[in-house]
Amino acid sequence: MFDSLSSRLEGIVSKLRGKGRLTDDDVDEVLKEIRTALLEADVNVGVVRNVVARIREQAVGARLSQALDPGQQVVKIVNAELTAMLGGETLKLTYASRPPTVVLMAGLQGSGKTTNSAKLARWFKAQGRQPLLVGADLQRPAAVEQLRTLGRQIDVPVFSEPGDPVATAKRGLDEARRLGRDVLIIDTAGRLAIDTEMMEQVRQISKVTEPHYTFLVIDAMTGQDAVGVAEAFHATLAIDGVIMSKLDGDARGGAALSVKEVIGRPIAFASTGEKLSEFEQFHPDRMAGRILGMGDVLSLIEQAEKVFEKDQAEKAAEKMLEGEFTLDDFLEQMQSLKKMGPLSNVLGMMPGMPKEMRNAQIGDDALTPIEAIIYSMTPLERRKPEIINGSRRNRIANGSGTTVADVNRLIKQFQEMQKMMKRMGAMAPRLGKKGKQKGKGGRVGGPPRGGPGLPGFGGLPPVSQPTLPDSLHCSRSPPDFRVKQFINVTNSGR
């Protein structure tokens, strides 16, 4: 979504790097480009005016600073302003001392309220809560049936009764107390446009249920129109946070960048895809970093922890270090990586990733040829790829629908990876004995930075290792080790 804005801001940042000082003309030029970039991203004009004024005020101080490079100061200022525009801090949810914690979902029809109600219920369930969904959207045909279908998929009960939506919401609250459910999510009706009837209905539901959180669901594709919607709902309901749907779309991001400035409420959650699992808490600082091309290592690690089991990660790391890593292990890691979502999203979270790589549309099908080659090998060939001679390579190529050159490339780069792991394993005992000894990268243990490119079919460049705190670099146990190591030494092409 933020690709266009990201490209413009990265261009501005690159011009500032290395400057000893910023002249008045430099500041004016930078602010002009920032203003243009935000307007092109469909950010509200009033918001752009305020943001540019704040950046100008701070940039003047940056020019007078003797301690820091002015260009770096401006980058820091822009990053802070982007973070503030996106909400400032991650919304921390607290739960009612007397359950249930009531969450009211509001928004226009088509914004994704019903689907996001189910996604939110799934998220609460993952936090160890017991949610109950209430279908109070009795206006739209089949809305309740849609909610029941989604509820069955995530194993969350759904309560709804025909008749009055306000009475249904109240009885749903009573049902949650009766069943001992500690979270109640109420899906309300929407309209194609804001009208008095809709606002009065949702106000009455809010009055009888007294929600602890009222979330406004906004379609990220609506652009500046989202500002008017947010203002109208906030005046009626006192919104606590925004759920931004369709954040994976190709809109320019104006809605996400405008709504906090206008109503003073943060983006609480973001829907990043159609699947019920593609829903996460929104972290403004991480998104700002991604827009400026700084990556998002924390989100990458969190996703890895959901996919990789700790015991399996430790076992795989041990096999890597002992030089026993096979193509079967490689295939298992690759399939686990695919569970983390589209590869383009994973690459976009990595710091230092070239813009061309971040913007490349790399789907799961990019890994299909590699999987086909490995599946076309016998179990012995996967364990000992060195036995694969010319005739075997022809057979594998024919069986996988690829070429002998593709098979050669995969085997060669896999063997390079094995050698690198073996060298790393030989170093590990020495590092363990000396304790404080560090490698060339200045950190204790951990995989070396960089590495050969991934077996690919389009020649994508190698991915450099992100710089992480020492606590995250461990030679054996962290769940994210496998992902970092996999991405570091492999690079999928088309």
Side-chain angles (χ1 to χ4, degrees):
M1 165 166 288
F2 297 103
D3 288 348
S4 177
L5 176 61
S6 180
S7 297
R8 290 297 299 264
L9 291 179
E10 282 184 50
I12 297 170
V13 168
S14 64
K15 293 179 182 178
L16 293 174
R17 289 197 178 105
K19 278 186 175 288
R21 60 184 294 274
L22 296 180
T23 65
D24 291 337
D25 291 339
D26 288 332
V27 173
D28 291 339
E29 183 65 25
V30 166
L31 292 175
K32 179 181 178 181
E33 292 192 31
I34 291 175
R35 183 187 299 109
T36 302
L38 292 174
L39 290 174
E40 287 182 351
D42 205 19
V43 179
N44 180 269
V45 176
V47 174
V48 174
R49 189 178 299 116
N50 294 338
V51 169
V52 170
R54 290 197 296 267
I55 293 176
R56 179 185 292 278
E57 181 180 349
Q58 296 177 69
V60 171
R63 285 184 293 147
L64 298 176
S65 173
Q66 299 294 322
L68 296 173
D69 179 280
Q72 293 174 343
Q73 274 286 81
V74 173
V75 172
K76 179 182 176 183
I77 293 168
V78 172
N79 183 53
E81 281 301 321
L82 278 176
T83 302
M85 289 174 71
L86 291 166
E89 296 182 354
T90 303
L91 181 66
K92 292 181 174 61
L93 297 181
T94 57
Y95 298 96
S97 55
R98 293 184 58 189
T101 300
V102 181
V103 178
L104 180 66
M105 305 287 280
L108 297 180
Q109 184 174 326
S111 60
K113 286 190 313 301
T114 302
T115 302
N116 280 284
S117 295
K119 288 183 174 185
L120 184 60
R122 183 184 181 278
W123 183 86
F124 275 119
K125 191 175 178 182
Q127 310 306 307
R129 300 288 165 173
Q130 295 182 312
L132 172 69
L133 286 163
V134 174
D137 182 358
L138 307 180
Q139 180 75 22
R140 181 169 63 90
V144 174
E145 186 57 36
Q146 178 190 356
L147 192 63
R148 292 189 194 280
T149 300
L150 295 171
R152 284 192 293 270
Q153 292 177 18
I154 59 176
D155 195 24
V156 171
V158 176
F159 175 86
S160 186
E161 292 180 351
D164 179 27
V166 179
T168 298
K170 181 65 174 68
R171 286 194 289 271
L173 178 57
D174 296 335
E175 181 71 5
R177 288 170 178 157
R178 185 183 72 81
L179 296 175
R181 294 280 163 169
D182 53 10
V183 174
L184 180 70
I185 301 172
I186 304 173
D187 177 31
T188 63
R191 299 291 189 277
L192 294 178
I194 296 174
D195 58 40
T196 306
E197 181 187 353
M198 178 186 70
M199 286 300 187
E200 179 59 24
Q201 183 186 104
V202 75
R203 190 184 67 80
Q204 289 294 332
I205 292 176
S206 178
K207 182 178 179 181
V208 300
T209 58
E210 298 181 346
H212 301 87
Y213 292 99
T214 300
F215 289 139
L216 174 63
V217 182
I218 290 181
D219 183 348
M221 309 284 282
T222 56
Q224 290 194 39
D225 289 344
V227 173
V229 173
E231 286 180 316
F233 273 97
H234 188 53
T236 302
L237 293 174
I239 301 297
D240 294 296
V242 172
I243 295 178
M244 196 66 63
S245 66
K246 305 178 187 176
L247 204 63
D248 59 323
D250 57 0
R252 290 169 290 178
L257 290 164
S258 301
V259 68
K260 166 62 168 62
E261 184 85 9
V262 173
I263 67 172
R265 294 294 184 269
I267 301 174
F269 294 91
S271 176
T272 57
E274 295 182 359
K275 297 179 182 178
L276 293 177
S277 59
E278 295 174 331
F279 183 82
E280 57 192 31
Q281 265 194 300
F282 188 81
H283 302 279
D285 54 339
R286 301 183 190 180
M287 182 57 72
R290 292 178 69 176
I291 292 174
L292 289 173
M294 299 176 183
D296 183 1
V297 173
L298 292 178
S299 293
L300 180 65
I301 291 173
E302 287 174 2
Q303 288 194 25
E305 287 175 339
K306 295 176 185 176
V307 172
F308 297 110
E309 295 293 335
K310 182 178 179 181
D311 292 341
Q312 292 178 347
E314 290 177 345
K315 185 178 178 181
E318 188 172 346
K319 292 180 75 173
M320 283 181 179
L321 295 175
E322 293 175 357
E324 298 176 359
F325 193 70
T326 68
L327 281 165
D328 280 320
D329 300 316
F330 177 80
L331 180 63
E332 180 189 350
Q333 285 200 0
M334 190 165 60
Q335 291 171 339
S336 296
L337 182 64
K338 289 167 65 175
K339 295 178 184 177
M340 291 176 60
L343 290 176
S344 54
N345 288 356
V346 175
L347 294 175
M349 294 180 191
M350 298 188 66
M353 183 64 59
K355 182 172 64 177
E356 294 76 13
M357 288 286 289
R358 291 199 311 272
N359 296 340
Q361 296 300 313
I362 305 174
D364 289 344
D365 56 343
L367 298 179
T368 302
I370 301 175
E371 291 179 333
I373 290 174
I374 298 175
Y375 279 130
S376 297
M377 297 178 182
T378 66
L380 180 61
E381 288 169 344
R382 295 179 201 175
R383 291 195 303 271
K384 298 181 178 180
E386 63 272 11
I387 70 170
I388 303 177
N389 55 24
S391 61
R392 289 176 184 261
R393 292 176 195 235
N394 279 322
R395 190 201 77 239
I396 294 169
N398 292 332
S400 60
T402 58
T403 66
V404 174
D406 295 332
V407 177
N408 292 340
R409 190 181 306 120
L410 172 62
I411 294 172
K412 179 182 177 182
Q413 295 188 349
F414 178 75
Q415 288 173 339
E416 289 176 358
M417 183 179 71
Q418 278 186 316
K419 291 177 184 176
M420 185 182 73
M421 294 301 171
K422 234 171 188 175
R423 288 196 300 270
M424 215 173 76
M427 289 173 58
R430 295 199 300 273
L431 291 173
K433 290 176 184 176
K434 295 186 180 181
K436 296 182 180 180
Q437 182 177 344
K438 295 185 179 182
K440 293 180 181 179
R443 58 199 172 91
V444 178
R449 304 188 189 280
L454 195 77
F457 302 92
L460 292 178
V463 178
S464 23
Q465 181 79 355
T467 301
L468 298 175
D470 287 348
S471 59
L472 295 179
H473 285 293
C474 175
S475 60
R476 291 186 183 271
S477 61
D480 63 297
F481 173 86
R482 298 169 68 190
V483 178
K484 289 186 289 183
Q485 198 57 258
F486 174 82
I487 295 177
N488 185 42
V489 299
T490 58
N491 182 4
S492 119
R494 294 184 182 276

